[in-house]
Amino acid sequence: MSERLNLPVLPLREVVLFPGVTAPIGAGRPATLRAIEAALATPERLVFAVSQRQNVESVSSDVLYTIGTIARIGQLQRGLSGMQLLLHGERRGIAIHYSDREGYLQAVVREAEEMLPLNAEDPAFVALHREARVRAAELGQKSGLPDEVVQQVLAGVNEPGKFADLVAGYIDITPAQRQGLLETLSVEERLRKVLVHVQRQIGVLDAQEDIKSQVQEELGERQREMFLREQLKTIQRELGEDDERDDLRDLKEKLAALDLPAEARKEVDRELNRLTRIGRESMESQVIRTFLENIAELPWNERSKEHLDLAEASRILDEDHYALGDVKDRVLEFLAVRQLRQKQEDAETQRREDAEAERKEEVEAGESTDVPVATATVPPSNVPTTGNPDERAKGPILLFVGPPGVGKTSVAKSIARAMGRKYVRISLGGARDEADIRGHRRTYVGAMPGRIIQGMKQAGTRNPVFLLDEVDKLGVSFQGDPASALLEVLDPAQNDTFVDHYLGVPFDLSEVLFIATANFIQNIPGPLLDRMEVVDFAGYTEREKSEIARKYLIPRQFRENGVSPEQLEVTEDALSEVITAYTRESGVRQLERELGKLARKVARKIAAGEVERLTVDRDMVDDLLGRPRVHPEKAARHDEIGVATGMYYTPTGGDIMFVEASTMRGKGELMLTGQLGDVMKESARAAWTYARSHAGGLQIQDEMFDRDIHIHVPAGAIPKDGPSAGVTMASAVVSTLSGRPVRHDIAMTGEITLRGRVLPIGGVKEKVLGAVRAGISRIILPKENEPDLEDLPKEVRDKIEVYLVQELGEVLALTLRGATFREGRLLFGDEKNPRDVMPLSTGFRH
């Protein structure tokens, strides 16, 4: 038996308070106010909140329900007309007896006990509870409550009974239905009734939404639009907006004159209709107008008249660029193919026009009106048909790859000049957002087309030469991958229907000649690289740089700095000094900057009246440009044990490097220093393993492998990596272990395996040029790199001796003092009395 409580009665009109629910209550009747004061006089501040059966002013026990809620008074605010208080329902109560006491009602109340299900894990009860929660959340969302608020309220109640009371306190039902739920002591039955009410309320909201939509459709859009249009005209006349309407009329005329595709025309007409309906004060009006102006400015039909004269193109390329023979040949081949295909397409177009004219003549003469052109006219066998008279030649996408400053961008300009096309360049370096390529959707504030469409607007024709500069420096962020967006742009099979997010309609890019440039081809994603044809730009030799400076750089810097050739002369020795001591690059950008600095120094002297004319020689370069800032490696002057000369290549050009090896007392461990990368460390370990496995043939004492060996590559502040130093490391390791010096006048490069095979490497031209600059004329290269020697300038090939090798034994025969090669065998010591023999499967080739 539960405890009985004597509580003041708080009668409620048209309100039912549920346990677990807090509700604001207004009290103004004298009896109710006295009941509240009595409750406030107790520490618990409890009242028995019970609904009235009838909405009457004077309350007696006859008009009160038996079951109510034991509630606690929370915040209280007194006023002239009564009290405002918050009641928090705590539990159900049953009134056993009502009585009058000192002007208010008092009740003897016992707590009502809920009827819980026999098995709370019963699947049917669990399903009922879950369904009630789902429907309650749905009702909250349809009622316009924020999702997070609904989820937070529902998540705070886990018990089924309390959950049912919480939902019952907020759903829109009659007071009698609320009282029925309060009097339902069975938790399962109460949940079921609450679910029915919630579902009914959801149905009511859905029906209201449907009725609202039907009413809006029945308003009569045409009549309403006509009425509003007349009003708009009157308002515009009063405001003097006739000029704006003239601008809109001009825009309509521009759009009407465009030969747009069907899809684009449909979108333009739709936006024009919207623009004429809304006022200029609307923010959407400016968005639509900007969109239509972008459409009008795009070159939907304009084309540059293309002329493909190979002789003229060759002249322009030679005029604008020195050297780059391979690149010029590839560009001319590309233009030759376009020229032939253009002639074929012109012939096909002419054939169709002639056939159409012949058909018209036959119709006019009445000779033949039923014979279709396709059967009446047979195309010549030597002219391939395209199947589409509007189809234009689609060639490969060119990718110019090479170090900075070698002329990639300027060659693209020359191609546009040779073809008679407009030239457009966009830089993609650092682009991290897909919208940079495809644009932003018009729903965003400040939306604009992507760089591709903006470039087409800038060109003004639909067939420009479009340069995508620094395509290897695209970034990736949470906003998308711009490299992936370029896949469609650079695919000739897809770019005729390129859709910019801002435009929302296809734009034909198939006639655009796209050219991309990059410094590091390995940074370009595979799918994007697969869509382009690579054209390699190698670095310039010193002689080529000297010629470029004479023909292009010096005259340009003289003009920019106000110096004439009569006032300043740069000797060959001075120019060579600037190239070797003040620049370290494959291109000529830094060289041009240094020549500009030199011209400014002389211009100052001339302007100050110190000299009238100056001839700059080698000795004067230091005074004008300061001390040399580049200190390239030079060939060693004598042979050393454990020091071998290798070659390497960076985007700034090739050079030589020294690999040093030394032994010391220890435990037979290998130590590597010089900021070596993982691949280079693996090459060192492979060389170490080769020396151990061939110790007998290499005349290395067993006790040497009990000592530690330290391999170091100088310039420790510069990270180094790559497999091409394998033969160099092997030569240094074998040299220090066997005590034989390495020849100082020979440089080498090549990857090695554990079996001693020498594998091919890259960057042969740049590496050889760097070795020649360092004063080395004897080069060891892998046999499989023999075709790469054709890339070397003739003056370089005439200076060097190249040894092509296939195995490491051949390398050691060339690099180690005291080693000779005879009849396919490697001999150490005196040739007449060799101490040991190391057999080789093949000999090296000169």
Side-chain angles (χ1 to χ4, degrees):
M1 179 67 69
S2 59
E3 180 185 359
R4 297 187 179 186
L5 302 173
N6 290 321
L7 300 176
V9 176
L10 183 62
L12 304 175
R13 289 185 288 185
E14 304 295 331
V15 175
V16 177
L17 182 66
F18 286 88
V21 177
T22 301
I25 301 295
R29 292 180 287 187
T32 304
L33 295 176
R34 285 191 286 269
I36 294 173
E37 292 291 354
L40 293 175
T42 64
E44 295 81 7
R45 298 165 61 117
L46 295 178
V47 296
F48 183 58
V50 61
S51 296
Q52 300 178 191
R53 299 177 188 270
Q54 302 171 7
N55 188 2
V56 294
E57 186 70 20
S58 179
V59 179
S60 64
S61 60
D62 297 335
V63 298
L64 297 177
Y65 287 103
T66 303
I67 296 180
T69 302
I70 300 173
R72 187 183 304 275
I73 299 175
Q75 296 180 3
L76 178 70
Q77 184 176 3
R78 303 177 187 272
L80 296 177
S81 59
M83 297 182 182
Q84 296 290 331
L85 64 153
L86 287 178
L87 276 185
H88 177 71
E90 295 201 344
R91 52 193 182 274
R92 281 174 172 78
I94 301 176
I96 301 175
H97 175 67
Y98 288 109
S99 61
D100 292 323
R101 180 178 178 182
E102 298 178 359
Y104 64 92
L105 285 177
Q106 188 175 23
V108 178
V109 182
R110 68 175 177 85
E111 184 178 351
E113 296 182 0
E114 290 185 334
M115 298 172 57
L116 299 174
L118 297 176
N119 182 10
E121 302 297 329
D122 181 54
F125 179 73
V126 173
L128 175 63
H129 186 198
R130 289 181 180 177
E131 181 66 15
R133 282 186 172 274
V134 171
R135 294 306 175 189
E138 180 181 356
L139 176 60
Q141 294 169 356
K142 288 183 177 293
S143 300
L145 297 176
D147 291 348
E148 56 271 15
V149 174
V150 174
Q151 296 299 331
Q152 182 178 1
V153 171
L154 297 181
V157 181
N158 296 321
E159 297 180 16
K162 292 183 179 180
F163 171 76
D165 290 338
L166 175 66
V167 176
Y170 289 103
I171 57 178
D172 186 13
I173 55 178
T174 64
Q177 291 172 329
R178 292 178 183 272
Q179 184 64 30
L181 291 174
L182 183 65
E183 294 179 357
T184 304
L185 300 181
S186 171
V187 173
E188 183 174 359
E189 183 64 24
R190 194 188 321 147
L191 265 178
R192 185 171 287 105
K193 289 182 179 181
V194 167
L195 178 58
V196 170
H197 288 304
V198 168
Q199 189 64 45
R200 183 180 294 115
Q201 191 66 30
I202 291 174
V204 171
L205 292 176
D206 290 341
Q208 287 179 343
E209 188 66 28
D210 293 340
I211 293 172
K212 181 180 178 181
S213 300
Q214 293 173 4
V215 169
Q216 289 179 347
E217 292 176 359
E218 294 172 3
L219 287 177
E221 283 297 326
R222 290 189 178 181
Q223 183 178 359
R224 179 174 175 273
E225 181 179 344
M226 291 177 61
F227 175 73
L228 293 176
R229 196 181 298 278
E230 291 300 325
Q231 283 189 329
L232 180 61
K233 290 180 180 178
T234 303
I235 295 172
Q236 288 172 344
R237 282 195 298 271
E238 293 293 331
L239 294 176
E241 295 181 356
D242 292 339
D243 293 340
E244 183 180 352
R245 308 312 296 176
D246 292 339
D247 293 342
L248 181 58
R249 192 179 306 110
D250 294 341
L251 179 59
K252 287 183 178 180
E253 292 175 358
K254 287 182 181 180
L255 293 171
L258 295 176
D259 184 14
L260 297 176
E263 189 173 348
R265 175 60 64 186
K266 180 179 178 181
E267 179 69 12
V268 166
D269 292 343
R270 187 177 71 87
E271 294 296 328
L272 270 176
N273 291 334
R274 292 180 59 202
L275 182 60
T276 54
R277 288 198 303 266
I278 61 180
R280 69 170 185 172
E281 293 82 5
S282 172
M283 186 173 63
E284 191 176 4
S285 171
Q286 187 58 41
V287 172
I288 297 174
R289 190 181 188 91
T290 304
F291 165 72
L292 293 175
E293 289 173 350
N294 277 292
I295 291 286
E297 293 171 1
L298 283 174
W300 295 93
N301 314 114
E302 295 80 5
R303 293 184 179 88
S304 298
K305 185 176 180 181
E306 187 175 81
H307 55 84
L308 294 171
D309 185 340
L310 289 185
E312 177 68 9
S314 178
R315 184 192 67 78
I316 290 175
L317 289 173
D318 290 337
E319 177 183 311
D320 294 346
H321 300 87
Y322 180 80
L324 299 177
D326 294 340
V327 174
K328 292 178 181 177
D329 289 342
R330 180 62 189 91
V331 171
L332 291 175
E333 292 168 4
F334 171 78
L335 297 178
V337 171
R338 293 190 66 89
Q339 182 185 48
L340 294 178
R341 292 187 61 180
Q342 188 64 48
K343 288 182 178 179
Q344 293 175 347
E345 290 172 4
D346 292 344
E348 172 67 11
T349 302
Q350 186 63 40
R351 185 191 67 80
R352 291 177 181 275
E353 292 176 354
D354 294 343
E356 181 66 19
E358 182 180 348
R359 188 188 68 82
K360 289 181 178 180
E361 291 176 0
E362 291 176 352
V363 171
E364 293 174 357
E367 298 177 1
S368 173
T369 59
D370 299 327
V371 180
V373 175
T375 58
T377 305
V378 178
S381 60
N382 62 336
V383 180
T385 60
T386 62
N388 182 0
D390 293 330
E391 184 177 340
R392 298 295 191 271
K394 296 180 180 179
I397 310 297
L398 298 180
L399 172 62
F400 293 166
V401 179
V406 294
K408 301 184 292 296
T409 302
S410 59
V411 167
K413 287 184 181 179
S414 298
I415 292 176
R417 179 182 165 202
M419 298 178 70
R421 292 191 181 193
K422 294 292 185 68
Y423 170 79
V424 180
R425 171 189 171 272
I426 64 171
S427 177
L428 298 178
R432 303 173 60 85
D433 189 352
E434 179 198 8
D436 286 339
I437 307 299
R438 291 187 178 275
H440 300 81
R441 289 180 173 83
R442 297 197 300 274
T443 53
Y444 296 103
V445 176
M448 64 179 65
R451 297 193 189 183
I452 301 298
I453 294 299
Q454 291 183 22
M456 296 302 294
K457 282 175 53 181
Q458 177 185 345
T461 66
R462 60 185 298 172
N463 62 338
V465 173
F466 205 121
L467 182 67
L468 304 173
D469 210 6
E470 310 292 354
V471 75
D472 59 325
K473 297 175 181 62
L474 290 169
V476 180
S477 70
F478 66 93
Q479 295 171 321
D481 182 6
S484 299
L486 279 178
L487 295 178
E488 179 186 3
V489 175
L490 299 182
D491 191 341
Q494 302 180 39
N495 60 11
D496 57 339
T497 56
F498 172 72
V499 178
D500 184 275
H501 288 161
Y502 181 83
L503 298 183
V505 294
F507 188 84
D508 188 0
L509 299 175
S510 60
E511 298 181 41
V512 179
L513 173 56
F514 285 105
I515 299 176
T517 69
N519 299 129
F520 303 96
I521 194 171
Q522 63 269 21
N523 292 347
I524 303 176
L528 183 59
L529 182 62
D530 184 59
R531 283 164 166 77
M532 299 181 284
E533 182 172 334
V534 178
V535 179
D536 288 313
F537 280 63
Y540 296 116
T541 65
E542 289 186 10
R543 188 183 69 81
E544 290 171 343
K545 289 182 180 180
S546 178
E547 290 295 330
I548 292 172
R550 288 290 178 194
K551 291 185 177 181
Y552 305 102
L553 306 184
I554 292 179
R556 182 160 62 224
Q557 290 302 318
F558 279 12
R559 288 193 303 270
E560 292 181 358
N561 293 284
V563 179
S564 66
E566 291 76 18
Q567 295 174 310
L568 174 60
E569 179 184 357
V570 182
T571 65
E572 287 295 334
D573 290 343
L575 183 57
S576 177
E577 177 69 11
V578 174
I579 292 173
T580 57
Y582 293 86
T583 65
R584 183 184 180 87
E585 57 179 346
S586 293
V588 292
R589 284 182 183 165
Q590 182 63 28
L591 174 59
E592 184 171 11
R593 283 193 287 268
E594 294 297 331
L595 292 174
K597 181 179 179 181
L598 187 147
R600 289 192 297 274
K601 295 286 187 180
V602 175
R604 178 180 176 182
K605 292 178 179 292
I606 295 175
E610 299 179 12
V611 295
E612 294 183 358
R613 186 180 187 281
L614 187 63
T615 299
V616 179
D617 57 18
R618 180 186 292 269
D619 296 334
M620 297 180 63
V621 172
D622 289 356
D623 296 334
L624 295 173
L625 298 183
R627 67 178 186 277
R629 289 180 290 277
V630 176
H631 304 281
E633 293 283 1
K634 296 295 183 182
R637 297 186 178 181
H638 52 83
D639 300 343
E640 292 186 58
I641 296 175
V643 180
T645 306
M647 299 183 290
Y648 70 92
Y649 164 62
T650 68
T652 62
D655 207 340
I656 64 171
M657 67 176 180
F658 297 105
V659 176
E660 303 172 352
S662 179
T663 60
M664 55 193 149
R665 286 180 295 180
K667 302 177 181 179
E669 296 179 352
L670 178 65
M671 184 186 308
L672 304 171
T673 57
Q675 274 213 67
L676 308 185
D678 292 339
V679 178
M680 207 165 182
K681 291 178 181 178
E682 292 171 358
S683 297
R685 294 188 182 96
W688 173 243
T689 301
Y690 180 86
R692 292 181 68 116
S693 60
H694 296 80
L698 295 173
Q699 284 289 297
I700 300 174
Q701 303 298 323
D702 292 340
E703 57 270 15
M704 294 300 295
F705 295 105
D706 295 330
R707 298 170 64 85
D708 288 349
I709 184 169
H710 183 175
I711 299 177
H712 176 69
V713 181
I718 302 175
K720 312 169 189 69
D721 204 0
S724 61
V727 295
T728 313
M729 289 186 166
S731 298
V733 168
V734 173
S735 169
T736 192
L737 292 175
S738 62
R740 299 182 182 89
V742 181
R743 298 177 184 271
H744 70 280
D745 58 348
I746 191 165
M748 66 205 79
T749 181
E751 180 182 357
I752 63 171
T753 69
L754 291 178
R755 295 179 295 164
R757 293 184 57 223
V758 180
L759 304 182
I761 43 80
V764 170
K765 177 182 177 181
E766 289 76 10
K767 292 177 179 179
V768 172
L769 292 179
V772 172
R773 281 195 297 267
I776 291 180
S777 59
R778 302 177 67 192
I779 309 292
I780 296 177
L781 293 176
K783 176 69 170 64
E784 296 182 39
N785 284 115
E786 184 175 6
D788 295 326
L789 296 177
E790 299 178 3
D791 297 335
L792 295 173
K794 185 177 184 302
E795 67 271 14
V796 174
R797 291 199 301 266
D798 293 341
K799 291 181 181 178
I800 60 175
E801 296 180 29
V802 179
Y803 300 91
L804 302 172
V805 299
Q806 290 179 290
E807 295 193 8
L808 188 54
E810 303 173 56
V811 177
L812 299 177
L814 293 165
T815 58
L816 297 181
R817 290 290 184 184
T820 57
F821 185 82
R822 189 173 63 192
E823 296 180 358
R825 304 177 75 82
L826 182 63
L827 309 179
F828 288 104
D830 190 342
E831 289 191 27
K832 297 181 179 179
N833 301 299
R835 293 193 299 271
D836 197 17
V837 175
M838 181 177 181
L840 298 174
S841 59
T842 57
F844 60 83
R845 178 178 174 184
H846 211 136

